[in-house]
Amino acid sequence: MLLNYSRRLTGKVRTRSANAELACFLSFVAGAINAGGFLAVQQYTSHMSGIVSHMSDMVALGDVSTLLWGFGALLAFIAGSASTSVIINFARHRYLQSEYALPILIEAGALMFFGLLDGIKWDFDWLWTSLTVATLCYIMGLQNAIITDISQYALRSTHITGTVTDIGIELGKAFYWNRASRQDPSIQPVQSNKKKFKLLLEVLVLFFIGGVIGAYGFKTFGFVFTCAVASILVYLAAGPIIDDIKSLWAVFNEPPVILKQSEDSNQVPTTAEMAEAEELAEVQEQQEEVNERGLSDDEVARPGI
């Protein structure tokens, strides 16, 4: 039952309801990671707007080290998105069920690595901070690309700017009075998409709830809390990945297929076949000798007696 739900959320066959539920799950996880990351490095890593703006400030101030730090975070986010794209297309070309589950599983592993980094702080603070930020940005880029691909660029799970903008658009449509369309039937009335509006609100609220729980959990439990969040991602990815493992195991354990050799083939005989042919020829010669001389079978079998 649990694996079936996992297959529904992250399997290859997609439905609108599954896309919406997966977006809500990942939005909650993104909020938790973003808040926990802020407590770790005092920097939000779920969106690149702030980081790029920070980079531009550092150019004006001449702070090269911080500029390079922001550039590394930007590259890590891009690398995460690129990784998701490579994994999804690789799985599609090989007809795997886990095209969306594999990036989620990698995200779980990267999240565990982030928690481990918090547990083993180094003497080199600049290196620890840079690697932590890069890991968080990679996670966010990885996850954001998953929902972007699934929703056909309609949703984002790691930052809320676009979500809040879409909420405002749908509210504007809902409150529009449509006076012109009532006066002129040829004008199409403006209508709000209630299902989309509801989903956008759910994503927004779950991101906020995830942030509250993430901040509290990371502050209170530290690395153990990252294990709990990673376990959610592992569960989401479990069903399709188990199915692919079973399929690969079945392929590797199939009995070999033996093709029957055609009579007119010119295949070179093996050593065993040549020895068998020589033995048959020798038996035929002995039989011919029996027929010519009238010898008994015992005399032929014991020529020296």
Side-chain angles (χ1 to χ4, degrees):
M1 185 65 180
L2 292 176
L3 285 181
N4 288 335
Y5 186 63
S6 171
R7 293 185 184 98
R8 179 174 174 273
L9 289 181
T10 60
K12 185 175 183 178
V13 179
R14 308 303 308 166
T15 62
R16 290 185 178 180
S17 60
N19 291 345
E21 291 174 27
L22 181 61
C24 290
F25 269 108
L26 294 184
S27 180
F28 172 85
V29 171
I33 296 173
N34 198 40
F38 180 80
L39 292 181
V41 295
Q42 287 71 53
Q43 177 67 47
Y44 291 118
T45 56
S46 63
H47 57 284
M48 292 295 103
S49 302
I51 290 179
V52 174
S53 297
H54 192 51
M55 289 171 60
S56 63
D57 292 339
M58 294 306 102
V59 170
L61 296 175
D63 190 343
V64 178
S65 61
T66 307
L67 173 65
L68 294 177
W69 171 87
F71 185 66
L74 179 65
L75 289 181
F77 193 98
I78 294 174
S81 300
S83 299
T84 294
S85 179
V86 170
I87 293 169
I88 288 176
N89 286 288
F90 175 85
R92 283 176 182 169
H93 291 168
R94 282 153 183 80
Y95 306 102
L96 299 178
Q97 299 295 321
S98 55
E99 59 184 59
Y100 297 114
L102 283 173
I104 292 176
L105 185 65
I106 293 175
E107 181 185 354
L111 182 58
M112 294 286 290
F113 179 69
F114 159 67
L116 188 63
L117 287 176
D118 181 70
I120 50 171
K121 292 189 177 182
W122 305 331
D123 295 333
F124 303 98
D125 290 337
W126 64 272
L127 180 59
W128 177 85
T129 302
S130 300
L131 186 57
T132 301
V133 171
T135 302
L136 288 171
C137 289
Y138 180 83
I139 291 171
M140 292 300 176
L142 193 78
Q143 184 188 123
N144 204 40
I146 297 172
I147 290 299
T148 301
D149 186 275
I150 287 177
S151 66
Q152 299 297 312
Y153 301 89
L155 283 174
R156 301 290 191 274
S157 66
T158 62
H159 55 278
I160 299 300
T161 303
T163 301
V164 174
T165 302
D166 291 341
I167 289 175
I169 291 173
E170 295 302 325
L171 280 175
K173 291 179 179 180
F175 291 130
Y176 188 73
W177 48 86
N178 283 315
R179 183 178 302 168
S181 61
R182 286 194 292 268
Q183 295 175 354
D184 187 355
S186 64
I187 297 177
Q188 191 73 17
V190 177
Q191 294 180 343
S192 176
N193 189 333
K194 294 181 181 180
K195 290 183 178 180
K196 182 179 179 181
F197 179 72
K198 179 183 176 183
L199 175 59
L200 292 169
L201 279 180
E202 289 175 349
V203 169
L204 174 62
V205 171
L206 286 171
F207 188 93
F208 176 79
I209 294 174
V212 173
I213 295 176
Y216 178 80
F218 191 82
K219 179 181 178 180
T220 306
F221 304 105
F223 175 67
V224 177
F225 179 75
T226 61
C227 294
V229 178
S231 66
I232 297 175
L233 297 173
V234 171
Y235 165 68
L236 293 177
I241 289 178
I242 290 176
D243 291 341
D244 284 339
I245 292 175
K246 289 181 178 179
S247 298
L248 291 174
W249 182 262
V251 170
F252 288 137
N253 286 274
E254 285 182 352
V257 178
I258 301 176
L259 300 178
K260 186 177 181 180
Q261 190 70 27
S262 59
E263 295 180 356
D264 57 348
S265 66
N266 296 323
Q267 184 178 5
V268 178
T270 63
T271 304
E273 292 173 342
M274 294 175 64
E276 184 178 359
E278 291 177 358
E279 184 178 351
L280 290 175
E282 184 179 354
V283 171
Q284 290 177 355
E285 290 178 359
Q286 291 178 354
Q287 187 64 37
E288 291 177 357
E289 185 178 355
V290 170
N291 294 335
E292 291 178 357
R293 299 181 181 181
L295 299 177
S296 65
D297 292 342
D298 292 338
E299 290 175 332
V300 174
R302 296 173 295 170
I305 298 177

